[in-house]
Amino acid sequence: MRRTPIRLLGTQTIVAVAVARRCNAASAIWSCAMRLAAIPTPALVVGRDAFDHNVATMAVRWPGRTLRPHVKAFKSTSLAQELAAAGHDAFCAATVRELEGLARAGLGADLLLANEVLDPERLRRLAALSDKHGARVTVAVDSTETINAAATAGIEEVLIDVDVGLPRCGCAPDEAPRLAEQARSRGMEVRGVMGYEGHVVGLESREQREAGVNASMDILTSVHREVGGDVVSGGGTGTWDLNHWVTELQAGSFTLMDTAYERLGLPFRLALAVLGTVISVSAKGWAVVDVGVKALGMDHGNPTILGASVWFCSDEHTTFAPLDGVTTPPVGSRVLVWPAHIDPTIALHEKMFVVNDLPQDTFSLPDELEITDIWDIDLRNW
Amino acid sequence: MRRTPIRLLGTQTIVAVAVARRCNAASAIWSCAMRLAAIPTPALVVGRDAFDHNVATMAVRWPGRTLRPHVKAFKSTSLAQELAAAGHDAFCAATVRELEGLARAGLGADLLLANEVLDPERLRRLAALSDKHGARVTVAVDSTETINAAATAGIEEVLIDVDVGLPRCGCAPDEAPRLAEQARSRGMEVRGVMGYEGHVVGLESREQREAGVNASMDILTSVHREVGGDVVSGGGTGTWDLNHWVTELQAGSFTLMDTAYERLGLPFRLALAVLGTVISVSAKGWAVVDVGVKALGMDHGNPTILGASVWFCSDEHTTFAPLDGVTTPPVGSRVLVWPAHIDPTIALHEKMFVVNDLPQDTFSLPDELEITDIWDIDLRNW
């Protein structure tokens, strides 16, 4: 029997309808009435309670469109639908494919490509989302080349992307007014500025994060005064309560969280793990779960298994040893593996299986956990 | 105009026909007559000359079925077809989905699941490949549980997987005879033993690799004498010329190579890179290419850009700085990013674009390079 997930948000009716529709549309093999124990591994699982808590917590500080959820973190229109139902219906993304999927799913109210793209064909497709799906599309630009590419493709609105200290994209601050003028001279509307303090969001010291965001936003607000427009876009999960300058926060990881962000002591809870099956146990003290580097983003390091020490990950395996006093799980048992970085982890999977709650105190998973929803990860690749 | 790739192998006619078929069947968007400059990035590119060299070099020591290519490395039936055409038509894999794809593609002559799987449904599908596609299927087992799962699913042949020093799967050596007896008592044929010296294959010192493989194969050959059967399966790219005991080498990475294996001084050449576009250049000295951790397996560390220093990778970007004396590539130029680990890199992409040769001395890519083949990466996920 399928349990109705507990909702923390004030949109029960709308969300419940959306969930029912997706569950009915789900694959014939996997259905929402199934227990998690029947799902083949490795598989992504989402704890509904933690996800709802995260969304509700963020919405207190950043309600409605003051939050511009970054879809790169979760690459799923199903999850984006949940955010839209909670009032956050303006999105940003890192790839054109992510935005195309959102527009097709009816989530095109206000889409921002928060990244530089030069590909003429992709930019043309992006510009066409306006006519095809009634989407509003804005593109980040940081150079004459990206402005020309956007204008040639028929893009109508841009943000000037500014280097605020992260050595990545973004023009030099003193270049921004000239680029804004260029964009306007090509007939495009300049909605404002964007600047991502990505060198700051992951710092474990709150004081350092605060000092970093202050310095970055000094630059961005100063540039904004010269460029004009209504939008100052930036920030992320790690600076969600420290960035007081942006008009919209580009956060995505807060929805599901990971062990790297967890170290920052944020009020968001871990809501995503990779479910694995123990396929081998050695009398020498280790066990092997079928979750490896093809199921885990590894750029933030090894994953975590609660109650165990992770030794290493290989293509399809993680070798771990239970801590003293913890019983080794038998062959065939289910184990949760918590990724260090959700964005590249999710990009490796096809679906997320939602359950009401994920245990946070043990590596074992109760076999009777029921799936309440299935979210397709439909925005992968490029 | 499409150039015919130069072939180093003695199977010119067969391979040429296969290539022509795939090119005709390729996507309407991307065709083999295109120049690489027209391919959207990030995209995997394969250097045909280096690939052919690698296959020919390996075949001298491990001809025909003495090589059992490990499909987990490249996840492509197109690439597997090339190996089959070169005489290597027995494959091993890490997932059931990899083997199903091979069988469907007519490559089921001798398939080994070189991994432990307990999922009853997947094992049943694996057993059914025999009736459905005439495939021969062998499965690795290392416990009573995996033997029971295989027997129940109707698997007919197994290898006993032995722990030869890598703390991962594999039974204790002294358990192997008992497990072989169990498997036979369940009506399954025991073809022999398997043992992977994965703790050795990546050691940079050849002496250490040699000592390690000797110790591991001492264990495996000793177990083999007790278990019986024709097959002693193991080894990999890093021990290809040091492992003198196995009857079949389970190597896969040698086909395309990566920068981690390159450090070992093997005679195989780098044949796979991720093609990117420079999307932003800073006057402060760095440039940004649109190849990030969603396009790169990161468990072996940062990728390499020839003539440049890689600073860091984020979701969709790599920031790099050209070395002294190297000109910064302009916005819009194409750059090759060489991954540190091909297996998880390939698992992130949908296609490999084959060109005759990839430049190994510069990060820039001649725009006029023509695509001679497109290999689908059709064996992804689980």
Side-chain angles (χ1 to χ4, degrees):
Chain A
M1 217 211 70
R2 186 182 145 219
R3 280 178 287 176
T4 308
I6 298 158
R7 300 281 159 179
L8 300 181
L9 307 174
T11 52
Q12 275 168 288
T13 315
I14 297 165
V15 177
V17 170
V19 168
R21 183 182 53 70
R22 277 203 310 282
C23 274
N24 292 337
S27 138
I29 302 169
W30 301 320
S31 79
C32 289
M34 284 177 75
R35 287 168 195 272
L36 198 56
I39 298 302
T41 56
L44 289 183
V45 283
V46 171
R48 180 83 220 190
D49 286 1
F51 171 76
D52 285 344
H53 163 84
N54 295 344
V55 173
T57 302
M58 182 61 90
V60 173
R61 168 66 184 87
W62 300 94
R65 290 198 181 171
T66 66
L67 180 71
R68 189 186 279 281
H70 211 317
V71 175
K72 80 178 176 75
F74 47 81
K75 286 186 174 280
S76 165
T77 50
S78 299
L79 197 158
Q81 293 276 15
E82 301 275 347
L83 294 169
H88 313 295
D89 66 344
F91 294 95
C92 62
T95 70
V96 171
R97 203 187 264 204
E98 288 164 357
L99 294 181
E100 288 181 307
L102 291 171
R104 272 197 302 268
L107 294 168
D110 187 350
L111 300 179
L112 167 63
L113 181 64
N115 192 10
E116 276 61 30
V117 168
L118 290 154
D119 184 332
E121 170 56 24
R122 282 184 179 139
L123 287 171
R124 266 194 298 274
R125 292 198 328 249
L126 201 53
L129 295 181
S130 167
D131 281 347
K132 276 178 79 176
H133 300 286
R136 179 179 190 181
V137 172
T138 304
V139 167
V141 293
D142 72 350
S143 63
T144 300
E145 292 88 343
T146 46
I147 288 170
N148 286 340
T152 303
I155 297 292
E156 293 173 0
E157 297 183 284
V158 296
L159 289 185
I160 307 298
D161 187 4
V162 181
D163 169 10
V164 295
L166 171 70
R168 210 168 67 186
C169 299
C171 67
D174 59 5
E175 289 274 296
R178 185 182 63 78
L179 292 175
E181 187 45 44
Q182 269 187 13
R184 291 185 180 114
S185 76
R186 294 294 306 259
M188 295 188 293
E189 176 76 21
V190 178
R191 290 184 69 188
V193 295
M194 172 184 131
Y196 178 51
E197 69 274 27
H199 56 307
V200 170
V201 294
L203 297 175
E204 287 194 33
S205 149
R206 184 174 170 83
E207 289 66 37
Q208 284 181 19
R209 284 207 305 285
E210 188 161 24
V213 74
N214 289 352
S216 290
M217 292 305 115
D218 268 0
I219 297 170
L220 192 61
T221 50
S222 159
V223 169
H224 179 233
R225 279 192 293 274
E226 296 189 72
V227 166
D230 295 331
V231 176
V232 180
S233 196
T237 294
T239 54
W240 81 289
D241 62 343
L242 295 171
N243 191 324
H244 310 298
W245 297 271
V246 294
T247 60
E248 52 179 48
L249 190 82
Q250 293 183 6
S253 299
F254 76 96
T255 53
L256 299 170
M257 286 292 286
D258 53 39
T259 62
Y261 266 129
E262 200 200 17
R263 281 198 294 273
L264 271 53
L266 307 173
F268 308 112
R269 296 186 198 147
L270 291 178
L272 180 104
V274 190
L275 178 68
T277 302
V278 174
I279 57 169
S280 191
V281 173
S282 168
K284 293 188 200 161
W286 71 78
V288 182
V289 60
D290 61 351
V291 175
V293 302
K294 286 174 182 161
L296 289 165
M298 295 297 291
D299 59 312
H300 287 177
N302 277 348
T304 300
I305 298 177
L306 300 170
S309 158
V310 167
W311 286 8
F312 67 98
C313 302
S314 42
D315 274 15
E316 301 285 359
H317 308 105
T318 291
T319 296
F320 66 101
L323 300 178
D324 284 350
V326 178
T327 309
T328 302
V331 171
S333 56
R334 298 295 182 108
V335 167
L336 291 179
V337 180
W338 301 86
H341 193 186
I342 57 161
D343 308 38
T345 298
I346 292 172
L348 286 159
H349 293 261
E350 298 179 295
K351 290 175 191 299
M352 291 182 260
F353 297 94
V354 183
V355 299
N356 278 349
D357 206 4
L358 286 175
Q360 306 270 338
D361 53 351
T362 169
F363 55 63
S364 300
L365 200 67
D367 269 359
E368 66 277 13
L369 267 186
E370 276 174 23
I371 297 161
T372 58
D373 208 348
I374 298 171
W375 293 342
D376 280 334
I377 303 164
D378 52 346
L379 306 176
R380 300 164 72 194
N381 305 304
W382 301 275
Chain B
M1 216 211 73
R2 186 180 145 219
R3 281 179 286 179
T4 308
I6 297 157
R7 301 281 160 179
L8 299 182
L9 307 174
T11 52
Q12 277 168 286
T13 316
I14 297 165
V15 177
V17 169
V19 168
R21 183 182 52 71
R22 275 202 310 283
C23 274
N24 292 337
S27 139
I29 303 170
W30 301 318
S31 79
C32 288
M34 285 177 74
R35 287 169 195 272
L36 198 57
I39 298 301
T41 56
L44 289 182
V45 283
V46 170
R48 180 84 219 188
D49 285 1
F51 171 77
D52 285 344
H53 163 85
N54 294 344
V55 174
T57 302
M58 182 61 90
V60 173
R61 169 65 184 86
W62 300 94
R65 290 198 182 173
T66 66
L67 179 72
R68 188 186 280 279
H70 211 317
V71 175
K72 81 178 176 77
F74 47 81
K75 287 185 173 280
S76 165
T77 49
S78 299
L79 197 159
Q81 293 276 16
E82 300 275 348
L83 294 168
H88 313 295
D89 66 344
F91 294 95
C92 61
T95 71
V96 171
R97 202 187 265 203
E98 287 164 357
L99 293 180
E100 288 180 308
L102 291 170
R104 272 197 303 269
L107 294 168
D110 187 349
L111 300 179
L112 168 63
L113 181 63
N115 192 10
E116 276 61 28
V117 169
L118 290 154
D119 184 333
E121 170 57 24
R122 282 185 179 138
L123 287 169
R124 267 194 297 273
R125 291 198 329 249
L126 201 53
L129 295 180
S130 168
D131 281 347
K132 275 177 79 175
H133 300 286
R136 180 179 189 181
V137 172
T138 304
V139 167
V141 292
D142 71 349
S143 63
T144 300
E145 292 88 343
T146 46
I147 288 169
N148 286 341
T152 303
I155 297 292
E156 294 176 358
E157 297 183 284
V158 295
L159 290 185
I160 307 298
D161 187 4
V162 182
D163 170 9
V164 295
L166 171 70
R168 211 169 66 185
C169 298
C171 67
D174 60 4
E175 289 274 296
R178 184 182 63 78
L179 292 174
E181 187 46 43
Q182 269 188 12
R184 290 184 180 113
S185 77
R186 294 294 306 260
M188 297 188 291
E189 177 76 21
V190 177
R191 290 184 68 185
V193 295
M194 172 183 131
Y196 178 50
E197 68 274 28
H199 56 307
V200 170
V201 293
L203 298 175
E204 287 193 33
S205 149
R206 184 175 170 85
E207 289 65 37
Q208 284 181 20
R209 285 206 305 285
E210 187 160 26
V213 74
N214 290 351
S216 289
M217 293 304 117
D218 268 359
I219 298 170
L220 192 61
T221 50
S222 158
V223 169
H224 179 233
R225 279 191 293 274
E226 295 188 74
V227 166
D230 295 331
V231 176
V232 181
S233 196
T237 294
T239 54
W240 80 289
D241 62 343
L242 295 171
N243 192 322
H244 310 297
W245 297 271
V246 293
T247 61
E248 53 180 45
L249 190 82
Q250 293 183 6
S253 299
F254 75 96
T255 53
L256 298 170
M257 287 291 286
D258 53 40
T259 61
Y261 265 129
E262 200 200 17
R263 281 199 294 273
L264 272 53
L266 307 173
F268 308 112
R269 295 185 199 151
L270 291 179
L272 180 104
V274 190
L275 178 68
T277 302
V278 174
I279 56 168
S280 191
V281 172
S282 169
K284 293 188 201 163
W286 71 79
V288 181
V289 60
D290 62 351
V291 175
V293 303
K294 286 174 181 160
L296 289 164
M298 294 297 292
D299 59 311
H300 287 176
N302 278 346
T304 299
I305 297 178
L306 300 171
S309 158
V310 167
W311 287 7
F312 67 98
C313 302
S314 42
D315 275 14
E316 300 285 0
H317 307 105
T318 291
T319 295
F320 67 100
L323 300 179
D324 284 349
V326 178
T327 308
T328 302
V331 171
S333 56
R334 298 295 182 109
V335 167
L336 291 178
V337 181
W338 300 86
H341 193 187
I342 57 161
D343 307 39
T345 297
I346 293 173
L348 286 159
H349 292 261
E350 298 179 295
K351 290 174 189 298
M352 291 182 261
F353 297 94
V354 184
V355 299
N356 277 350
D357 206 2
L358 285 176
Q360 307 270 339
D361 54 352
T362 169
F363 55 64
S364 301
L365 201 67
D367 269 359
E368 67 276 13
L369 268 186
E370 275 174 24
I371 297 162
T372 58
D373 209 348
I374 299 172
W375 293 342
D376 280 333
I377 303 164
D378 52 346
L379 306 175
R380 299 165 73 194
N381 304 304
W382 300 275

